[in-house]
Amino acid sequence: MTIEEQIKKINSSLATKGYKLTGQRDATLRVLLENEKDHLSAEEIFLLVRKKFPKIGIATVYRVLELLTELHIVEKMNFGDGVVRYDLRSDEHEHMHHHMICNQCGEVREIKEDWLQMLEKRLEKEFGFTVTDHRLDFIGSFHSCDSHSCKHSGKAAVS
Amino acid sequence: MTIEEQIKKINSSLATKGYKLTGQRDATLRVLLENEKDHLSAEEIFLLVRKKFPKIGIATVYRVLELLTELHIVEKMNFGDGVVRYDLRSDEHEHMHHHMICNQCGEVREIKEDWLQMLEKRLEKEFGFTVTDHRLDFIGSFHSCDSHSCKHSGKAAVS
DNA sequence: ATACTTGCAAAAGCTTTGCACACAA
DNA sequence: TTGTGTGCAAAGCTTTTGCAAGTAT
């Protein structure tokens, strides 16, 4: 699905609940869609959105992110560096993507398969617990980061 | 392992790094050990510690928690309610416990098995990624909470 | 008109830090 | 005495909120 198509679809979701796709919301959404893999913080999102929409205030960005969280379009995540990051849940892999977090270079790479269906059935049976969502992160390191100096941007290492 | 034994063990870890087991640290540790399953926030820990050690300040509690995080005795977690919670990593199930988070009653129940070993081998093989830690949370609801009014304390519901 | 949105600034958390004092080796 | 640890209050951050003004239908 192209970004335009995704925007269009999200616009429908907004409309259903009586919300409008304003310029600020559109710009924020584009930043999220264009940086899907980056798990940006509110501050980072704000700085990027401001390039598209200079007069936006950070309060608006927070309000947009809260709105998108409500609609389950993004999800708040915390990778241990103390900052809230926003993770886009695009249709293709909603409810089924996991993370590998490298503690050498800080990269957060996504795994776009759902590895947990079996386990979720087990929770249902053994605990009477119905799963509606899950979160799975692996912390460790890529061999390519261990062996030679890592090419990825040196974000803060995790824990 | 009894609480006394665990305290003793942790004391050794502290000593190794030149830290002392002061009254404040002892009290904080006991609160954590006695409430292992509760995933307390800093504020909650502070209130409980103050019962044992009334003159303690919250800054000290934060400093103790930071110290324990450094030593990998506790781990900072975020369950989506916006509060940092501290999760004890006791020896028996270090690196191998998961969470069921009920969005009816807010209970966080632990699963003390490691269900991920197979998947971690796969990451090693497919991505060249060595896992040193992981995190697995399931969000959903217990049937007992759906059917009749839930007996657990009504913490804030998750997302 | 009416309801939704926004920017700004103030307020509200939660967490960290500076500093002088206390304590233990 | 020397370095570690602590309480208090102040400072720092991120995030939320109040309010008046703006916008679209």
Side-chain angles (χ1 to χ4, degrees), chain A residues 61-130:
Chain A
V61 171
Y62 275 106
R63 283 187 279 230
V64 174
L65 291 171
E66 193 194 325
L67 182 59
L68 296 177
T69 303
E70 213 175 273
L71 297 177
H72 297 286
I73 292 164
V74 300
E75 188 181 359
K76 290 185 180 183
M77 304 232 79
N78 191 308
F79 292 117
D81 59 355
V83 187
V84 176
R85 299 186 174 278
Y86 293 84
D87 192 15
L88 199 66
R89 305 179 58 164
S90 54
D91 282 339
E92 292 91 21
H93 47 103
E94 181 190 335
H95 186 218
M96 47 175 76
H97 79 272
H98 317 310
H99 298 105
M100 284 180 284
I101 305 167
C102 180
N103 53 27
Q104 304 283 320
C105 72
E107 184 184 353
V108 177
R109 195 182 307 177
E110 294 192 350
I111 303 162
K112 300 199 177 181
E113 294 173 59
D114 192 341
W115 287 355
L116 299 176
Q117 287 174 4
M118 237 172 35
L119 298 178
E120 289 176 5
K121 278 181 197 145
R122 205 166 142 188
L123 290 180
E124 185 79 42
K125 224 184 302 173
E126 290 183 24
F127 297 95
F129 185 82
T130 303

Side-chain angles (χ1 to χ4, degrees), chain B residues 65-77:
Chain B
L65 292 171
E66 194 193 326
L67 182 60
L68 296 177
T69 303
E70 216 174 88
L71 298 176
H72 297 287
I73 291 165
V74 299
E75 185 183 0
K76 289 186 182 184
M77 306 231 80

Side-chain angles (χ1 to χ4, degrees), chain B residues 20 42 59 62-63 66 76 84:
Chain B
K20 298 161 198 163
Y62 275 106
R63 283 186 281 231
E66 194 193 326
K76 289 186 182 184
V84 176

